[in-house]
Amino acid sequence: MEEKLRIAVGILGNAASILLYAAPIFTFAKVIRKKSTEEYSCVPYIMALLNCFLYTWYGLPVVSYKWENFPVVTINGLGIFLELSFILVYFYYASTEGKKKVAMMTLSVLLLSCSVVLISTFVFHDHHHRKAFVGSVGLVASVAMYGSPLVVVRKVIQTKSVEFMPFYLSLFSFLASSLWMAYGLLSHDLFLASPNLVGSPLGILQLFLYCIYRNRGSEKQPQKWDLETCCEKSEQHLQVNEANTEIPIIQYLKVNDEKDDEKANQNLQLVVADESNGKN
C-alpha cells in the first residue's frame, strides 16, 4: 500500500513539476513579443537547470539502486530541455551586460554538474556513498533554486508590484515542492524530502505576497488607453468651451452694431427735421 501511494505521489509530483517547468512559457512569450527581458531575472531558471542536472543524475541507476527513482529522472530530464530553452531566449534578448552574466552563470552550472558526475563515478564505488555525495550537492542546489525567487520577492516588496513575479511560477513551485516532499518522506529519502521542506514555505510566501500586492501596480499606473481617452476628452472639452465663448461674443458685437445703426438713423432724422422747420 505504501509503495502504491509513493508511486501515485511521484506521478502527481511529475505533473506538478511539468507545470512548474512550463510556467515560464507565458513570461518568455511576453519577452519575445516585447523583444526585451525588462526587469525579469534569469537566476531562477539557471538554478532550476542546475537542480535538474543533479537530480537527473541522482535518479539514474549509477547513483540510485536500479530504477527506484525513475520518476525523478523523467521529470528532471524534461526540465533540462525546458530550462535550457528559456535561458537561450533570455540570452538572445538580454543586454550586453546581461548576456555576460547569463553566460558566466550557465557555464558555472555546467562545470559544476560535470564535476559532480565525474567525482561520483570515479571516486565513490557504491550506491550508498554516491547517493550521499550527489544528494548533498543536490540539496544545496534545490535550496538555491527555491530561494532564487527571493531576488524577485525583494523587488516586489520595494515596488509594491507583482509585475515581474509570475503567479503560475509561484503556484506550481509550491505544489511541486509539497508533492516531492511527500514523495521523499514515503521513500525514506531525506535527500529528496529535505530541500522541499524549504521550497514549500517559500512558495507559500510568494503566493502570500502576490495576494497582497496584485492590485497595487494597476492603481499606481493608469493604462495607456485611459490616458488617451482622457486626452481626447480634454481636447473635446476645450473645443466646446472655445465655441461656447466665441458665439456669445459675436452675438454681443452684432447687437451693439445694430443699436449703433439705429441711433445714427434717429439722429439723422432729427437733423433733417430741424433743417426743414428752420426753412419754414
Side-chain angles (χ1 to χ4, degrees), residues 23-257:
I25 289 176
F26 300 105
T27 299
F28 283 94
K30 182 179 178 181
V31 169
I32 293 172
R33 186 171 64 252
K34 293 189 174 183
K35 297 182 179 180
S36 171
T37 57
E38 296 184 305
E39 296 296 324
Y40 291 109
S41 174
C42 195
V43 174
Y45 311 109
I46 295 175
M47 292 296 101
L49 178 64
L50 175 61
N51 183 77
C52 290
F53 270 130
L54 293 174
Y55 276 98
T56 299
W57 180 244
Y58 182 87
L60 289 173
V62 178
V63 178
S64 296
Y65 181 72
K66 294 184 178 180
W67 290 102
E68 62 178 344
N69 287 317
F70 180 72
V72 177
V73 176
T74 54
I75 188 57
N76 285 285
L78 176 62
I80 291 173
F81 171 74
L82 290 174
E83 299 302 333
L84 278 174
S85 301
F86 297 145
I87 291 170
L88 288 174
V89 172
Y90 189 97
F91 180 84
Y92 183 80
Y93 290 106
S95 61
T96 304
E97 188 65 27
K99 287 180 179 179
K100 292 179 181 179
K101 182 179 178 181
V102 172
M104 290 180 62
M105 292 182 67
T106 305
L107 183 61
S108 300
V109 163
L110 294 175
L111 290 174
L112 178 59
S113 300
C114 291
S115 300
V116 170
V117 170
L118 292 173
I119 292 172
S120 60
T121 302
F122 296 106
V123 175
F124 303 103
H125 303 288
D126 58 86
H127 292 291
H128 176 73
H129 288 92
R130 285 174 179 171
K131 285 184 72 173
F133 172 69
V134 178
S136 299
V137 180
L139 174 62
V140 176
S142 292
V143 172
M145 181 188 75
Y146 288 124
S148 57
L150 290 175
V151 177
V152 183
V153 166
R154 181 185 175 189
K155 184 179 289 292
V156 169
I157 295 173
Q158 288 177 341
T159 61
K160 301 186 186 305
S161 171
V162 293
E163 182 181 0
F164 300 107
M165 187 178 74
F167 170 73
Y168 291 108
L169 186 63
S170 302
L171 175 62
F172 298 141
S173 175
F174 165 69
L175 291 176
S177 59
S178 299
L179 288 167
W180 284 114
M181 178 177 63
Y183 179 86
L185 293 173
L186 290 170
S187 302
H188 307 289
D189 192 332
L190 292 178
F191 292 115
L192 292 177
S194 298
N196 295 291
L197 290 171
V198 177
S200 187
L202 287 176
I204 294 174
L205 173 62
Q206 292 175 57
L207 292 174
F208 179 71
L209 289 174
Y210 191 90
C211 292
I212 293 176
Y213 296 116
R214 65 193 179 103
N215 293 325
R216 298 291 181 88
S218 58
E219 292 177 358
K220 286 187 175 181
Q221 297 180 350
Q223 298 294 333
K224 181 180 178 181
W225 51 83
D226 292 336
L227 292 173
E228 292 175 350
T229 304
C230 182
C231 292
E232 290 176 0
K233 288 182 178 179
S234 298
E235 291 177 358
Q236 292 174 359
H237 184 66
L238 180 60
Q239 291 174 358
V240 170
N241 287 340
E242 289 176 352
N244 289 336
T245 54
E246 182 180 3
I247 291 172
I249 291 172
I250 294 172
Q251 290 177 346
Y252 175 78
L253 292 174
K254 287 181 178 179
V255 170
N256 287 339
D257 289 340

Side-chain angles (χ1 to χ4, degrees), residues 264-277:
N265 291 329
Q266 291 176 357
N267 292 332
L268 181 61
Q269 290 174 358
L270 291 172
V271 170
V272 172
D274 291 338
E275 289 178 354
S276 61
N277 290 330

